[in-house]
Amino acid sequence: MHVIATAGHVDHGKSALLRALTGMEPDRWAEERRRGLTIDLGYAWMRLPAGESLAFVDVPGHARFITNMLAGVGPVPAVLFVVAADGGWMPQSAEHLAAVDALGISRGLLAVTRADLADPGRAMAQAAAQIRRSSLGAVPTLAVSAVTGAGLPELTGALGELAASLPATDPAAPVRIWVDRAFSITGSGTVVTGTLPAGTVSRGDELLLTPALRPVRVRALQSLGENLSAVTGVARTALNLRGVDRSDVARGMALIQPGRWTLAGQIDVRITGEPRGSSQEAGNLLPAQLTVHVGSARTPAKVRPLGGRLARLQLRDPLPLHVGERVLLRDPGAARDQGALPGTGQALWPGLFGAVVLDADPPPLNRRGVAAAAAAELGSWPDRPAAADLLRRRRLAPAAGLRAAGVTGLPEPVAAGWLADPGHWSRLSARLVALVAEHATAEPLAPGLPVEAAREALRLPDRRLVLALAAATPAVALKGGLLTARGGAAGLPAGLAAAVASLLADLRAKPFDAPESDRLRQLGLDKRDLAVAARHGALLRLTDQVVLAPDADDRAAQILAGLEQPFTTSQARMALESAPLSQASDPLARVR
Ligand SMILES: Nc1nc2c(ncn2[C@@H]2O[C@H](COP(=O)(O)OP(=O)(O)O)[C@@H](O)[C@H]2O)c(=O)[nH]1
Ligand SMILES: [Mg+2]
């Protein structure tokens, strides 16, 4: 199935054209039919010559219902632009085109209808010239009449070609359905409808209703009036929900798959359109307040300019978003009818423009100079930020957070569930080496720097990050929850190094026979010396006065692992006493 929305000035024949194409009535309300005016969104569908279904979202053309129009166009990938042959290009033609352009919709058709009432040539040329300036570019253009039926077979053929040319969608994509209608059916409960742009929803799925993130279960689902066990986008869907009252659902909420979207309260955006003509003060690109439209949702937002085309928007109601997606921004203060009409090199419509979401979970801007730094950083980002861009900004981030931001191609985690910016990670590594050295100097008798102390000093959110960092830092060793330098005897004072070398020479013959206190005294090694040597990784200190070669514990484990299991303590002792010393594990190698 494919879904496309109509666009065009009021009374130009959008609803009549859909009626003629589909045989269905897109104006659902009695009031709409009585007044002959589309107020809210309408729905109709047809079967294309190739056998596929094409669903239409019919939008109102009247200026008063522009937010309904935006709710209809927002979630849809293509438009059927309608202009009356006897009306030509009109203000709401321009406003709708500006909305399509701001949303970055690039696929569509131009139907010049009511061609039985006037020669369509002028309207076709006029409209095509305007549309060419937008994200739609050059589109196939057809003259039709809903009354005589002239041109309808050609239009059906062109719709088939348009549908076939739309990019395939990913059935495994994250699900987000913007609610465009909600009602209750006696006996079934709450039903919501919306466009599923990609991904798959199945009966029994649990989805979250934004912004409350309230869990709801899909009890049943329909598409184009048919009961189905699963629906894959692009599709119009009606979902019967368990766990929510009709009164708790409204247009502008969304049903999302858990863990796949960021519920954003503030976003950093790059303006894509041309905000000229809006009510901003001179010299300022943006007004202080904007309305953000995305999908069927809209919310007021406070604008904090970051410089150039970059801004932070503080959303009144949080929205489920991905980075890289388009939102539409509207300046509620822009005088609708005062702006320059298109064709003068100005904005397509005053106070209506687009933006891309660069960051849906940006860091706070609470210190001086941070905004400028943010602008400098965001300025280099592409419209679809990659994991590397976001990580450079976050430095460290849970992989789940980046997945929820819609980022694919995540790097390998550095520790359970954590991603790190490579630059930041190597700076942390250097910092850890310095911390361990500082601690050794400050507290020479301490056996090492506790992992928790390192976590605090490095301000890391998870102790596992310290463990991973230690493992990735060759100059640091981790044993028993303590971090020590892995420098061997290299950093020891000369006298101490010599004494330790003698000790290690003794241990060569009997690696598990700790030197007696007499021998230690003879070499001039006191408790403090032993601690310092252990801190440098030159000795393994079991207790204050009991030391072995630094690799003794690993070697003991190896030897014991080679014994027939289970073994007794005396068998173990015997095995260790007679342990041969291999060249590779010569402890002196570290001192020489
Ligand atoms: N003669 C003629 N009238 C049309 C045609 N299409 C629409 N109309 C009439 O134009 C008016 C507006 O049509 P409608 O579909 O409601 O316009 P919308 O506001 O764009 O949805 C209605 O009175 C229709 O009957 C057409 O192709 N030929
Ligand atoms: Mg209509």
Side-chain angles (χ1 to χ4, degrees):
M1 187 200 303
H2 295 282
V3 182
I4 81 175
T6 59
H9 197 72
V10 62
D11 266 350
H12 273 208
K14 297 179 291 299
S15 301
L17 188 56
L18 291 196
R19 223 173 278 130
L21 283 168
T22 67
M24 297 173 78
E25 176 53 64
D27 283 341
R28 296 173 293 120
W29 295 6
E31 187 193 352
E32 292 180 316
R33 281 179 235 166
R34 194 180 66 245
R35 292 172 64 184
L37 178 74
T38 309
I39 296 169
D40 204 347
L41 301 174
Y43 307 93
W45 61 90
M46 65 185 289
R47 192 140 320 260
L48 290 167
E52 262 199 295
S53 314
L54 178 61
F56 294 95
V57 177
D58 187 28
V59 307
H62 196 284
R64 270 185 29 226
F65 308 124
I66 183 69
T67 54
N68 289 344
M69 183 273 174
L70 297 177
V73 169
V76 166
V79 289
L80 173 60
F81 216 100
V82 176
V83 176
D86 57 332
W89 195 251
M90 295 293 279
Q92 263 58 57
S93 314
E95 190 175 16
H96 286 194
L97 184 65
V100 164
D101 182 64
L103 290 168
I105 297 173
S106 62
R107 314 310 298 266
L109 276 179
L110 168 62
V112 172
T113 187
R114 292 168 53 118
D116 56 303
L117 296 179
D119 180 349
R122 210 178 76 90
M124 285 171 90
Q126 212 182 12
Q130 295 296 339
I131 290 173
R132 202 174 302 124
R133 299 170 57 213
S134 76
S135 57
L136 289 171
V139 293
T141 301
L142 296 97
V144 294
S145 167
V147 169
T148 67
L152 288 186
E154 290 81 359
L155 179 56
T156 302
L159 286 167
E161 276 166 38
L162 172 63
S165 76
L166 293 175
T169 57
D170 178 3
V175 166
R176 180 183 59 182
I177 300 174
W178 292 105
V179 173
D180 50 37
R181 275 185 300 165
F183 45 90
S184 59
I185 294 181
T186 325
S188 305
T190 306
V191 174
V192 305
T193 69
T195 300
L196 174 67
T200 303
V201 181
S202 303
R203 198 189 293 142
D205 279 357
E206 184 181 271
L207 300 172
L208 303 175
L209 183 65
T210 68
L213 296 182
R214 172 195 189 123
V216 296
R217 200 162 288 282
V218 178
R219 193 202 301 226
L221 64 167
Q222 280 193 353
S223 188
L224 309 187
E226 231 184 298
N227 282 308
L228 297 167
S229 56
V231 175
T232 296
V234 181
R236 287 291 307 165
T237 55
L239 308 182
N240 181 199
L241 300 178
R242 198 198 302 278
V244 67
D245 276 349
R246 157 68 191 94
S247 56
D248 295 330
V249 197
R251 173 176 296 169
M253 295 181 177
L255 291 165
I256 57 171
Q257 228 166 15
R260 304 293 296 271
W261 296 89
T262 301
L263 191 71
Q266 50 179 2
I267 52 179
D268 284 352
V269 299
R270 177 186 289 131
I271 308 301
T272 59
E274 182 50 75
R276 270 176 300 176
S278 49
S279 65
Q280 78 274 12
E281 299 190 353
N284 215 350
L285 193 67
L286 291 169
Q289 286 275 347
L290 282 170
T291 306
V292 177
H293 294 258
V294 57
S296 64
R298 75 185 143 122
T299 183
K302 273 204 208 104
V303 180
R304 167 147 184 192
L306 296 176
R309 299 190 154 264
L310 300 165
R312 172 152 309 177
L313 305 180
Q314 190 80 43
L315 310 179
R316 193 193 64 189
D317 308 314
L319 297 169
L321 295 172
H322 277 168
V323 301
E325 80 170 306
R326 282 278 195 139
V327 298
L328 188 149
L329 304 178
R330 208 157 58 93
D331 177 357
R336 248 169 227 289
D337 42 11
Q338 280 176 7
L341 274 182
T344 59
Q346 291 287 309
L348 287 166
W349 190 259
L352 191 58
F353 45 96
V356 289
V357 178
L358 294 177
D359 198 340
D361 185 18
L365 297 177
N366 46 13
R367 277 173 300 138
R368 276 174 71 87
V370 177
E377 181 172 35
L378 294 173
S380 69
W381 288 17
D383 280 351
R384 189 165 291 282
D389 298 311
L390 287 157
L391 278 176
R392 218 177 309 117
R393 189 171 213 204
R394 308 256 199 290
R395 306 206 277 184
L396 272 174
L402 258 60
R403 215 173 295 122
V407 180
T408 53
L410 300 184
E412 280 297 308
V414 291
W418 286 98
L419 306 179
D421 170 57
H424 182 59
W425 193 244
S426 56
R427 284 190 298 276
L428 279 175
S429 172
R431 214 32 218 104
L432 182 66
V433 173
L435 269 179
V436 167
E438 282 160 23
H439 183 257
T441 310
E443 293 182 50
L445 291 182
L449 176 66
V451 167
E452 178 55 23
R455 190 195 66 72
E456 258 175 45
L458 297 171
R459 297 215 195 96
L460 292 174
D462 187 331
R463 139 186 195 95
R464 289 171 301 180
L465 284 166
V466 182
L467 305 183
L469 193 60
T473 307
V476 168
L478 173 64
K479 244 173 211 173
L482 295 174
L483 298 157
T484 53
R486 200 205 292 275
L492 290 179
L496 181 52
V500 169
S502 307
L503 212 54
L504 292 174
D506 298 350
L507 286 163
R508 258 195 103 190
K510 291 191 155 193
F512 301 105
D513 202 356
E516 301 290 335
S517 51
D518 281 356
R519 173 65 173 147
L520 294 176
R521 215 170 304 122
Q522 182 190 5
L523 288 171
L525 290 168
D526 64 10
K527 228 162 75 170
R528 192 175 184 287
D529 295 326
L530 295 178
V532 171
R535 282 300 294 267
H536 281 79
L539 286 176
L540 175 67
R541 204 153 72 114
L542 301 179
T543 69
D544 274 0
Q545 299 273 31
V546 179
V547 292
L548 291 175
D551 62 347
D553 51 351
D554 293 341
R555 297 191 55 229
Q558 249 175 41
I559 291 165
L560 296 179
L563 288 186
E564 204 164 303
Q565 317 271 335
F567 51 80
T568 62
T569 321
S570 64
Q571 282 169 329
R573 195 173 303 122
M574 264 166 59
L576 293 179
E577 270 167 11
S578 61
L581 192 64
S582 73
Q583 194 57 35
S585 59
D586 178 358
L588 281 175
R590 300 196 184 205
V591 203
R592 280 190 208 116

